[in-house]
Amino acid sequence: MKRSYLTFLLLISIIGALQLSAQEPALSKQEAVNLALENNFGIQVARNQVEIADNNQSILNSGFLPVLSASAGASYNRDDSTIEFPGQFLENGDPRPDVIIDQAEAQRYDSGLTLDYTLFDGLGRFYNYKSLKEQYQLSELQARETIENTILQLLSVYFEVARLTENVYVFKQALEISKDRITRAEYAFEYGQNTKLDILNAQVDVTNDSINLLNAKQQLANTKRDLNVVLNQSLNEVFEVDTVVTFIPSLKLDEYVSQAKQNNVAILQTEKNLMINDYDIKVSRSGYLPNIGLTGSYGWNLNQSAASAFFPGVNNTTYNLNLGARLTWNLFDGGGTAVRVKNAKIAFKNQELLKKQVELEVDRDILNALDFYENRLNIYAIQEQNVITNENNFDRSREQFQLGRITSIEFRQAQINLLNALTNKNLAKYDAKLAELQLLQLTGQLLNVEL
């Protein structure tokens, strides 16, 4: 009866696992990368920064276009006045009467257009425009670095989900074996071939394996939520990941390593900064040269004045056109231009030193990553062989245990050894893959390879 009950529980658990697997859609590595590129917050911010740099490098921000401004104005004035003529008399001898002017209104309207255009500014805006182009390309490299870091983070979490998925399967297998031991121990006890102690030992092992399975499932659920955060999707999104891992051939990796200086994003950024510093020197030198510009204006004025005691009201309309040219040459600015040029040259030298430092650090990091990757591959190969050894040992131990030639404790130890070998192999496999990804990032190929 107990055997039937355990068999029923085992079938229920298998069916439930199959149903859960059927409900969860598969999420391939490439699909995960595409989702991250589309939804990840950090990548979206980086792309917005690139868009800002793109706006800055446009002709509208270059200073090459003229400045056209318009102005208009209107004024209204109303006066009430009394004009007296003390001591003045008319021809008939009467005092000259006062002149009273009420509601004397005057209006003034004006409008104009002013055009200002710089023909030559010592080539400052020319080199500044080139600098903005380089800054745009630098922002693209910075966005690429953000994308590479995000993809590396994404794949790290993705492969952790894959590792835990395989561990869950391993723990399920171990639990099934332990449950089968209970069934066999109960049969043997019924026929007097062992003691109650063997049943209790098997039940203890089932308990431990159940706890291990629950913990693995909890870790898997938590790590899937971590992956959903990177993908910027619902934390309750369910999926199954691809547990197949392939490694890039060593010849291809050697080719990537040989081209690292041409593709590494950190080195490329230092080169862009070096070009920007070079343009800064040239922009600073433009202060030594004159500025030549053109100005032009066109205006319209209407002045409507009220009548006064002595003059009639008038309407005065004026059209005005002005054209001019200017040349300004700052022959001496107190040494400010000279200081700016010197500082720009020092900044350029510092950038050259930084480039050499970055190149040296990248070479070191690549060599370290390459050694680390090869070491992980060797460990993975050893762990694969260790699994084969422990599988053979477990199969022999299970045969011996079923024949009653070894104890349940010895059989359990063989099972634990196999369990550890399988989980260690899973860990070694994904460690080796992550080491490969880090090497690909350093060589600038992370976004160019098939996952």
Side-chain angles (χ1 to χ4, degrees):
M1 187 68 181
K2 291 182 178 179
R3 181 188 178 198
S4 300
Y5 177 70
L6 290 173
T7 304
F8 174 75
L9 289 179
L10 181 60
L11 289 173
I12 290 296
S13 63
I14 294 175
I15 293 173
L18 291 174
Q19 289 176 343
L20 180 60
S21 177
Q23 292 173 356
E24 296 182 354
L27 178 66
S28 68
K29 294 181 281 291
Q30 191 58 54
E31 288 173 342
V33 169
N34 292 339
L35 284 173
L37 291 175
E38 182 179 352
N39 299 326
N40 181 267
F41 289 121
I43 292 178
Q44 292 184 53
V45 171
R47 284 176 174 163
N48 289 337
Q49 294 297 330
V50 173
E51 188 174 351
I52 291 174
D54 188 24
N55 293 333
N56 289 337
Q57 69 151 354
S58 70
I59 191 68
L60 298 177
N61 192 45
S62 64
F64 281 106
L65 299 180
V67 177
L68 179 64
S69 60
S71 62
S75 63
Y76 172 80
N77 186 44
R78 172 180 164 176
D79 294 324
D80 295 325
S81 59
T82 300
I83 302 173
E84 297 178 351
F85 302 94
Q88 298 185 25
F89 299 92
L90 298 176
E91 293 179 356
N92 59 7
D94 293 335
R96 185 174 180 176
D98 298 338
V99 176
I100 299 174
I101 301 175
D102 292 331
Q103 299 182 359
E105 296 180 342
Q107 297 91 25
R108 180 179 178 83
Y109 305 95
D110 64 86
S111 63
L113 292 174
T114 301
L115 179 70
D116 187 83
Y117 183 63
T118 300
L119 292 176
F120 181 75
D121 68 341
L123 298 177
R125 62 182 176 179
F126 174 75
Y127 290 117
N128 185 63
Y129 183 59
K130 285 185 171 292
S131 177
L132 290 174
K133 294 287 186 182
E134 296 298 329
Q135 289 175 30
Y136 168 71
Q137 296 178 16
L138 176 62
S139 69
E140 287 187 317
L141 291 172
Q142 292 169 342
R144 173 186 152 188
E145 183 179 27
T146 299
I147 292 173
E148 286 183 355
N149 291 334
T150 302
I151 296 305
L152 186 61
Q153 177 194 10
L154 164 71
L155 293 176
S156 298
V157 181
Y158 184 95
F159 285 127
E160 180 65 9
V161 173
R163 184 184 74 85
L164 293 173
T165 299
E166 293 197 84
N167 282 355
V168 166
Y169 176 76
V170 170
F171 288 129
K172 282 182 179 179
Q173 296 282 66
L175 180 59
E176 291 173 4
I177 293 172
S178 297
K179 288 180 177 179
D180 183 65
R181 272 183 55 207
I182 290 181
T183 304
R184 292 180 177 275
E186 288 175 344
Y187 270 123
F189 179 74
E190 291 177 2
Y191 289 101
Q193 296 177 354
N194 61 13
T195 64
K196 188 71 174 178
L197 181 61
D198 291 326
I199 299 177
L200 295 176
N201 286 336
Q203 290 176 342
V204 169
D205 293 339
V206 167
T207 300
N208 291 333
D209 290 340
S210 299
I211 292 173
N212 290 336
L213 179 58
L214 289 173
N215 288 334
K217 286 183 175 180
Q218 183 62 58
Q219 288 179 338
L220 178 59
N222 292 344
T223 310
K224 283 187 176 182
R225 294 188 189 97
D226 293 338
L227 185 57
N228 283 328
V229 170
V230 180
L231 297 176
N232 187 19
Q233 61 184 7
S234 171
L235 297 179
N236 296 321
E237 194 76 26
V238 293
F239 49 83
E240 288 291 332
V241 298
D242 183 9
T243 58
V244 176
V245 171
T246 57
F247 296 97
I248 297 176
S250 58
L251 290 177
K252 199 67 177 176
L253 274 180
D254 291 340
E255 179 184 344
Y256 291 158
V257 171
S258 65
Q259 299 173 354
K261 286 190 176 181
Q262 291 80 31
N263 298 313
N264 179 272
V265 69
I267 293 178
L268 293 176
Q269 287 185 66
T270 59
E271 292 175 350
K272 287 300 175 185
N273 281 319
L274 196 62
M275 295 183 70
I276 291 172
N277 287 132
D278 184 49
Y279 286 132
D280 288 342
I281 296 174
K282 296 175 180 178
V283 170
S284 300
R285 285 175 175 168
S286 67
Y288 292 127
L289 299 177
N291 289 340
I292 301 174
L294 296 176
T295 59
S297 64
Y298 178 80
W300 168 81
N301 293 276
L302 172 61
N303 188 5
Q304 296 177 334
S305 61
S308 65
F310 305 100
F311 301 100
V314 296
N315 293 337
N316 184 16
T317 302
T318 305
Y319 298 92
N320 179 267
L321 176 64
N322 289 320
L323 294 175
R326 69 178 185 278
L327 184 147
T328 58
W329 197 336
N330 197 350
L331 299 178
F332 182 71
D333 62 352
T337 299
V339 171
R340 286 191 293 272
V341 172
K342 289 180 180 179
N343 290 340
K345 289 181 177 180
I346 294 173
F348 181 81
K349 291 180 180 179
N350 286 339
Q351 191 61 40
E352 285 183 319
L353 296 173
L354 179 61
K355 179 185 176 183
K356 293 179 180 178
Q357 179 184 357
V358 170
E359 288 177 344
L360 183 62
E361 291 175 349
V362 168
D363 287 340
R364 176 206 61 193
D365 293 341
I366 289 177
L367 291 176
N368 289 344
L370 187 59
D371 288 344
F372 184 74
Y373 172 60
E374 292 174 349
N375 182 61
R376 290 297 173 181
L377 280 181
N378 292 331
I379 292 175
Y380 176 47
I382 293 172
Q383 292 293 358
E384 282 188 312
Q385 184 59 47
N386 188 42
V387 167
I388 295 174
T389 302
N390 279 277
E391 284 178 342
N392 293 332
N393 178 63
F394 177 74
D395 291 339
R396 293 289 300 275
S397 297
R398 181 159 54 184
E399 292 175 1
Q400 296 296 314
F401 176 69
Q402 292 173 354
L403 295 174
R405 295 177 181 175
I406 62 173
T407 64
S408 60
I409 295 177
E410 293 172 315
F411 175 74
R412 177 62 176 177
Q413 187 59 50
Q415 183 186 10
I416 291 175
N417 290 340
L418 177 59
L419 182 66
N420 291 336
L422 289 170
T423 55
N424 289 337
K425 186 202 76 169
N426 291 338
L427 179 61
K429 177 174 69 172
Y430 294 111
D431 280 350
K433 187 60 182 178
L434 290 176
E436 181 188 80
L437 293 175
Q438 291 169 350
L439 180 59
L440 289 173
Q441 182 189 25
L442 288 170
T443 58
Q445 299 293 338
L446 180 61
L447 304 179
N448 301 328
V449 297
E450 295 241 348
L451 301 174

